[in-house]
Amino acid sequence: KFMGIALGALVTAIVQSSSATTVMVVGFVNAGLMNLAQAMTVIMGANIGTTATGWLVSSAEWAKALSPDTLAPLALMVGVVIMIVGKNVKKKQVASIIIGFGILFIGIGTMSDSVSPLKDSQVFRDAFVTLGQNPFLGILVGAAVTAIIQSSSASQGILLSLAASGLVPFNAAVFIIMGQNIGTCLTAMISSVGANKNAKRAALVHLSFNVIGTAFWMLVFCLARAFFSLEFLSEPASLFGIAAAHSVFNLLCMVLMLPMSGFLEKLVTRLVPEEKQTESYMELDDRFFTAPSIALE
């Protein structure tokens, strides 16, 4: 289980998209290469790996040498050199990953600059204060934005850009982060349409894991806020604070749901019951076409 979690986290940190990881997992399950229990742990790991974006962006606060402004041109330069010099496919793929990181950093930097003038807007400040007071609104906004752009890493980048301008109070950021985890499930759910029962269950595991985890920890957070005087929650969230909150939330969800993995498997099996006639053949899954080497194998 822990190897599965580590794999999911590593792959997601590299590709910068938990949606891409879960879609791959749905494809593997649909092709009969993975079972539901294996898929479950990789999906849990994907939730942790997606927090890498936040830590990379927040490095502008705690490690200037690793900040996006420093790394973006460096990553692009190194990636382009490897792309030009590299002869084999593997080196060119590594170069694409490095260039992708560089473009990601430039994009987040551009977003931060573009929303900077909004820090003087009272309307935006009032909107985020309202989100901070109402957990359901915060979760809804986080889920909706992530579902529309189909990337929790990208929506996290938007949140970090707003936070860099001092617009987002900490309690609003927490609820938006919770919503982002639910919104990112849409891609896997769409990917499971037309797939076999096990693939549908794998996508449903992702949704169930995030919905149950969010509901439980939202309740705990609201109770803590009601019984204790947590004044820092109304203050503007720092980049480091958002990255830490995202990681802690996803780790807490894993701690909560890992012992319940058996229950989760039974739940999705009941929600998507087995057909009387099971398929006895294996097909090449369309989801693998983006990675021909995997499809061929």
Side-chain angles (χ1 to χ4, degrees):
K1 287 183 178 181
F2 293 105
M3 286 294 287
I5 290 167
L7 176 67
L10 179 65
V11 170
T12 306
I14 291 170
V15 301
Q16 288 290 297
S17 173
S18 58
S19 300
T21 306
T22 49
V23 167
M24 279 196 286
V25 168
V26 168
F28 288 137
V29 173
N30 193 50
L33 300 172
M34 286 177 78
N35 61 39
L36 195 57
Q38 292 168 332
M40 205 179 301
T41 57
V42 176
I43 288 168
M44 288 181 186
N47 272 21
I48 295 168
T50 196
T51 63
T53 306
W55 285 111
L56 287 168
V57 176
S58 71
S59 63
E61 288 183 348
W62 51 270
K64 289 287 183 184
L66 297 174
S67 69
D69 290 340
T70 308
L71 285 180
L74 188 63
L76 284 172
M77 185 178 70
V78 171
V80 169
V81 169
I82 295 172
M83 183 75 78
I84 294 168
V85 175
K87 299 296 181 186
N88 58 38
V89 175
K90 192 170 285 187
K91 284 181 181 175
K92 290 186 182 293
Q93 287 173 340
V94 170
S96 295
I97 291 169
I98 296 170
I99 291 169
F101 271 106
I103 293 170
L104 173 73
F105 293 144
I106 289 171
I108 290 171
T110 305
M111 279 195 294
S112 297
D113 294 339
S114 63
V115 299
S116 186
L118 297 175
K119 64 184 175 186
D120 300 320
S121 169
Q122 193 59 40
V123 175
F124 263 80
R125 289 185 179 279
D126 293 343
F128 278 106
V129 168
T130 305
L131 291 178
Q133 297 303 320
N134 191 320
F136 295 105
L137 271 178
I139 290 170
L140 184 63
V141 166
V145 171
T146 309
I148 290 166
I149 61 180
Q150 293 204 19
S151 172
S152 59
S153 294
S155 66
Q156 195 184 157
I158 294 169
L159 177 62
L160 289 162
S161 299
L162 292 166
S165 300
L167 285 167
V168 190
F170 199 79
N171 52 3
V174 169
F175 295 131
I176 292 169
I177 287 166
M178 290 179 176
Q180 286 172 344
N181 272 31
I182 295 173
T184 195
C185 300
L186 180 69
T187 313
M189 294 300 292
I190 292 170
S191 173
S192 69
V193 174
N196 64 25
K197 296 289 182 183
N198 263 346
K200 285 185 172 70
R201 288 170 187 159
L204 202 55
V205 160
H206 192 206
L207 181 64
S208 305
F209 174 85
N210 285 332
V211 168
I212 294 169
T214 297
F216 180 84
W217 292 115
M218 180 192 75
L219 182 62
V220 170
F221 182 77
C222 289
L223 288 172
R225 196 173 59 165
F227 287 105
F228 300 101
S229 178
L230 305 172
E231 293 179 3
F232 73 93
L233 291 176
S234 57
E235 295 175 2
S238 64
L239 300 182
F240 177 82
I242 289 176
H246 197 190
S247 294
V248 168
F249 171 65
N250 283 336
L251 283 168
L252 286 173
C253 284
M254 190 195 73
V255 169
L256 174 71
M257 300 304 294
L258 189 58
M260 296 169 59
S261 56
F263 161 76
L264 203 58
E265 192 172 348
K266 287 176 183 174
L267 174 68
V268 297
T269 303
R270 181 158 296 209
L271 290 171
V272 185
E274 194 63 69
E275 290 177 339
K276 290 180 182 178
Q277 266 193 326
T278 56
E279 296 170 353
S280 57
Y281 59 89
M282 191 183 291
E283 286 184 349
L284 176 61
D285 198 302
D286 289 358
R287 295 166 189 80
F288 293 147
F289 288 169
T290 54
S293 57
I294 295 172
L296 186 62
E297 190 173 340

